[in-house]
């Protein structure tokens, strides 16, 4: 199968925070607050190299969501938008995209959250939670463009929209207007192997 490859480098525009589900055991007599302070780093995605990783699924979903957000129509295809093309027409093969930030250099942030994970709850039902967070990061990866209709210009546009308006990680823009996980497209090199039907 012929496909194009976009060699992408992203640069952070705002802090990046994670909230990975984990199953660290609770110590006997340990309260929820103490448990959270002890196990907060388990909420981070760590690569085999021992560095902070960005789930590839987060990036592919953000780019696909950007296509939907843009509402841009495909030229020559009536009112059809790019949403479906980006939802199924791009692929990242790595499970975690390496940021190069060592595990021991990952910081944290304390946030008052609802005890049951509900949004908009009363202050009285909130408890302190601790999440891994880094103020700045970069990441490079290869995106495989399976649908030949996706051009370098359109792909770069959707990555840009994803970075500014969708974001990745905990408290990103698309989730309740968060501030984290914004990024810019720092560099992109495109290997064009698109093959169109006659």
């Amino acid at each position: 199968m012929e496909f194009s490859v976009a060699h992408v480098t992203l640069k952070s525009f705002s802090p990046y925070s994670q909230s990975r589900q984990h199953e660290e055991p609770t110590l006997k007599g340990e309260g929820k607050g103490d448990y959270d302070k002890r196990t907060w780093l388990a909420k981070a995605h760590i690569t085999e190299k021992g560095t902070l990783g960005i789930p590839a699924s987060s990036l592919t979903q953000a780019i696909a969501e950007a296509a939907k957000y843009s509402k841009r129509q495909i030229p020559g295809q009536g009112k059809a938008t790019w949403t479906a093309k980006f939802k199924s027409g791009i692929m990242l093969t790595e499970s975690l995209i390496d940021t190069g930030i060592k595990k021991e250099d990952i910081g944290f942030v304390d946030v008052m959250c609802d005890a049951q994970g509900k949004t908009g709850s009363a202050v009285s039902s909130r408890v302190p939670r601790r999440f891994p967070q880094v103020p700045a990061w970069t990441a490079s990866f290869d995106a495989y463009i399976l649908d030949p209709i996706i051009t370098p210009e359109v792909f770069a546009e959707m990555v840009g929209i994803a970075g500014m308006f969708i974001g990745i990680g905990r408290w990103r823009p698309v989730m309740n207007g968060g501030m984290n996980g914004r990024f810019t497209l720092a560099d992109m090199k495109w290997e064009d192997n698109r093959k169109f039907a006659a």
Side-chain angles (χ1 to χ4, degrees):
M1 179 180 180
E2 299 289 347
F3 48 80
S4 298
V5 183
H7 305 284
V8 177
T9 298
L10 304 180
K11 183 179 180 181
S12 62
F13 190 76
S14 67
Y16 176 47
S17 184
Q18 296 186 336
S19 57
R20 184 181 77 90
Q21 294 290 325
H22 66 84
E23 297 181 353
E24 290 289 323
T26 304
L27 300 178
K28 186 176 181 179
E30 185 177 38
K32 289 185 178 180
D34 291 332
Y35 171 81
D36 214 56
K37 288 180 179 179
R38 180 176 62 83
T39 64
W40 65 270
L41 191 54
K43 298 174 186 174
H45 293 269
I46 304 299
T47 69
E48 293 180 354
K49 299 178 182 178
T51 55
L52 180 67
I54 300 172
S57 58
S58 295
L59 287 169
T60 53
Q61 289 170 11
I63 297 170
E65 185 68 21
K68 181 179 179 181
Y69 178 92
S70 75
K71 297 183 180 178
R72 181 174 170 181
Q73 296 177 352
I74 302 173
Q77 294 197 16
K79 294 186 176 182
T81 67
W82 288 100
T83 304
K85 299 296 184 182
F86 274 82
K87 189 173 183 179
S88 59
I90 64 171
M91 179 179 71
L92 277 65
T93 57
E94 300 173 75
S95 58
L96 290 176
I97 310 301
D98 192 0
T99 65
I101 299 173
K102 295 180 180 179
K103 182 178 179 180
E104 55 267 29
D105 294 330
I106 299 173
F108 63 83
V109 60
D110 290 324
V111 182
M112 292 298 291
C113 300
D114 182 78
Q116 304 301 321
K118 299 177 182 178
T119 58
S121 61
V123 175
S124 60
S125 65
R126 296 180 187 177
V127 295
R129 300 287 307 280
R130 181 166 289 183
F131 298 95
Q133 182 167 302
V134 291
W137 53 274
T138 60
S140 297
F141 60 92
D142 290 341
Y144 295 87
I145 316 302
L146 308 180
D147 195 319
I149 198 172
I150 298 174
T151 65
E153 295 75 20
V154 172
F155 181 79
E157 178 183 351
M158 297 311 169
V159 172
I161 292 173
M164 285 296 100
F165 305 108
I166 308 301
I168 56 174
R170 185 194 65 81
W171 203 48
R172 56 192 181 275
V174 76
M175 299 295 290
N176 303 313
M179 300 291 290
N180 290 340
R182 295 181 195 263
F183 56 84
T184 60
L185 178 59
D187 186 59
M188 185 181 82
K189 293 180 175 61
W190 183 275
E191 292 182 29
D192 201 338
N193 296 306
R194 293 176 294 157
K195 296 292 186 291
F196 292 92

